[in-house]
Amino acid sequence: MARLPPLAALFFLCLLCACHAAGPSGNPSAVLLPVGKDDATQQYVTGFRQRTPLVPVKAVLNLAGATLWVDCEAGYVSSTYRRVPCDSKPCRLARSAACATSCSGAPSPSCLNDTCGGFPENTVTQVSTGGNIITDVLALPTTFRPAPGPLATAPAFLFTCGTTFLTQGLAAGATGMASLSRARFALPTQLAATFRFSRKFALCLPPGGAAGVVIFGDAPYVFQPGVDLSNSLIYTPLLVNPVSTAGVSTKGDKSDEYFIGVTGIKVNGRAVPLNATLLAIDKKGVGGTKLSTVAPYTVLESSIHRAVTDAFAAETAMIPRAPPVAPFKLCYDGSKVGGTRVGPAVPTIELVLQSEAASWVVFGANSMVATKGGALCLGVVDGGEAPRTSVVIGGHMMEDNLLEFDLEASRLGFSSSLLFRQTTCSNFRLG
Ligand SMILES: *[C@@H]1O[C@H](CO)[C@@H](O)[C@H](O)[C@H]1NC(C)=O
Ligand SMILES: *[C@@H]1O[C@H](CO)[C@@H](O)[C@H](O)[C@H]1NC(C)=O
């Protein structure tokens, strides 16, 4: 191609800009994933459309992981899948350490020559395998009122091929895991690059039987009846753990998961004595606090678990106890606990962050778990003496809270319980 003189090149660029701005099929400012909770596994599941022709795919939400992965062995039919070659830029960006050089069978998504390789991980069972990195069409809704509306299409969305075996342990019908991590090709960053919206997403996890949502990009956080949370979140920095927490990693890799700086825990406003060393992330990547959607309940290192449970027991001495129901240690007679708008009437638990003013306040709806036998238990689990991460904030503690993961500003925005504002995740509206 002939070299254009600079002025002509500029003119050409401007034409492109004009077309882009005026195009009727402009990029959406946000896309969404509906979220439900699977009763049997307590996993948060989502659905989207993929391939050509488009088919519905069900996957488990995951705040960890490098990419979306789906089972490419069973029933993957598409005319638009393409391999990501080993020496390509996306393969380098994916920090892939593997290359599938040859496959002698009939070509299929899981049998290709010269294809970039990834390590899809089932973070529920902690099983990893190797698989091809390929692209295909992905379609996500752009409105939510409350049912998902018109679709926006990413023509070449990069993901990793998992196997049928790898889906064991996932919610019934789920054929993969949708990664919301900070990795380059996880959904948030890849969708932002595809649709040119902000590198951020908001997570609103539902309790069982209700509907939640993940909102990628730039959308107001409006819930019925007329509650706009867009300007009322509290923020705390997102921290990067310098050592990978994935099942398969290369030396020097940082973690793709989301850590926050919890500096203390209060029960009923009183500080719980804790070993502060455990709350920091050390040079080996051990310690600290992360968020996980595959942990159904918050998991605390043993000494923290003991201290929080003892403090909670001391503040609730008047409430009749019930025998412990595994995996919980502290349970009450559910019929003797009063109710409030924000769940059972129990002391608050505060996760103190960078300052006293920035506390994530946890009310009964997010701290207590009702068991089938009628007991009401403090929903924290003992994570053992030397876990990799000292505090893992689990799904139950995040339900009906809006959490904004802003990767550009590297901060987490949180709303505390939406029940306080007389709304829930299922009342989110867009468009
Ligand atoms: C890979 O290349 C070999 C050698 O050219 C060829 O025999 C084989 O069919 C190819 N496999 C696929 C899946 O295209
Ligand atoms: C606090 O935790 C660190 C890390 O596990 C440990 O080395 C240290 O001995 C603990 N300190 C106390 C006072 O228990």
Side-chain angles (χ1 to χ4, degrees):
M1 198 180 112
R3 237 182 212 206
L4 294 171
L7 254 181
L10 197 65
F11 179 66
F12 184 61
L13 271 178
C14 286
L15 270 182
L16 278 180
C17 299
C19 282
H20 180 69
S25 57
N27 283 316
S29 53
V31 295
L32 306 151
L33 281 175
V35 181
K37 187 174 186 180
D38 179 68
D39 275 340
T41 59
Q42 312 211 63
Q43 293 163 14
Y44 300 93
V45 292
T46 187
F48 50 84
R49 286 170 189 272
Q50 198 197 28
R51 310 167 205 179
T52 302
L54 287 173
V55 292
V57 175
K58 189 170 161 182
V60 172
L61 280 188
N62 188 11
L63 284 170
T67 66
L68 164 72
W69 66 263
V70 300
D71 178 4
C72 293
E73 280 182 344
Y76 195 106
V77 178
S78 179
S79 60
T80 43
Y81 76 84
R82 299 283 179 270
R83 74 195 168 90
V84 172
C86 294
D87 63 356
S88 65
K89 189 177 171 201
C91 191
R92 279 195 301 279
L93 287 176
R95 289 178 287 134
S96 168
C99 175
T101 48
S102 69
C103 180
S104 54
S108 75
S110 45
C111 180
L112 295 165
N113 284 338
D114 178 29
T115 301
C116 189
F119 297 97
E121 179 178 4
N122 179 329
T123 54
V124 176
T125 56
Q126 299 184 343
V127 173
S128 300
T129 179
N132 286 335
I133 295 181
I134 64 173
T135 65
D136 208 339
V137 174
L138 178 78
L140 298 181
T142 55
T143 69
F144 203 80
R145 287 179 301 199
L151 302 177
T153 301
F157 195 83
L158 181 148
F159 66 102
T160 310
C161 277
T163 59
T164 306
F165 167 76
L166 196 63
T167 65
Q168 283 179 16
L170 298 184
T175 57
M177 298 190 86
S179 172
L180 301 178
S181 82
R182 59 168 76 245
R184 171 61 182 85
F185 290 105
L187 271 74
T189 301
Q190 194 177 170
L191 290 172
T194 304
F195 295 122
R196 295 165 198 278
F197 51 52
S198 299
R199 216 150 53 82
K200 67 178 184 187
F201 68 98
L203 180 67
C204 210
L205 295 178
V213 65
V214 188
I215 308 142
F216 299 93
D218 305 289
Y221 302 137
V222 179
F223 295 76
Q224 296 206 321
V227 179
D228 188 343
L229 298 177
S230 308
N231 297 311
S232 62
L233 301 179
I234 300 174
Y235 291 93
T236 193
L238 282 170
L239 308 180
V240 177
N241 185 327
V243 182
S244 176
T245 44
V248 178
S249 64
T250 308
K251 198 164 186 289
D253 282 356
K254 296 181 175 67
S255 173
D256 292 326
E257 293 191 78
Y258 299 104
F259 285 75
I260 56 173
V262 171
T263 56
I265 299 177
K266 289 182 182 176
V267 172
N268 220 10
R270 276 190 263 276
V272 176
L274 300 175
N275 179 347
T277 308
L278 296 167
L279 294 178
I281 304 169
D282 74 10
K283 287 200 295 288
K284 291 177 177 154
V286 175
T289 300
K290 73 175 182 183
L291 292 89
S292 171
T293 51
V294 299
Y297 305 106
T298 293
V299 185
L300 303 172
E301 179 275 340
S302 284
S303 70
I304 300 176
H305 183 264
R306 203 176 315 120
V308 169
T309 306
D310 288 351
F312 203 86
E315 296 290 341
T316 52
M318 305 300 283
I319 309 178
R321 295 282 176 79
V325 180
F328 310 115
K329 294 275 161 58
L330 184 58
C331 297
Y332 303 89
D333 176 347
S335 68
K336 301 285 177 9
V337 183
T340 72
R341 185 190 287 171
V342 285
V346 294
T348 55
I349 298 177
E350 279 171 73
L351 305 176
V352 182
L353 296 156
Q354 71 275 18
S355 70
E356 289 286 319
S359 276
W360 177 341
V361 185
V362 180
F363 298 94
N366 295 107
S367 62
M368 305 306 287
V369 179
T371 69
K372 287 201 177 71
L376 198 56
C377 302
L378 177 61
V380 294
V381 176
D382 187 343
E385 295 287 341
R388 179 68 181 275
T389 301
S390 303
V391 177
V392 179
I393 299 176
H396 181 69
M397 203 165 269
M398 297 189 263
E399 287 172 4
D400 281 332
N401 282 237
L402 184 78
L403 298 171
E404 180 192 68
F405 296 77
D406 184 339
L407 302 189
E408 278 169 27
S410 193
R411 63 181 189 174
L412 175 78
F414 55 96
S415 65
S416 189
S417 180
L418 299 184
L419 304 180
F420 241 141
R421 310 185 201 230
Q422 293 183 294
T423 192
T424 64
C425 289
S426 58
N427 291 326
F428 175 76
R429 295 290 183 280
L430 179 64

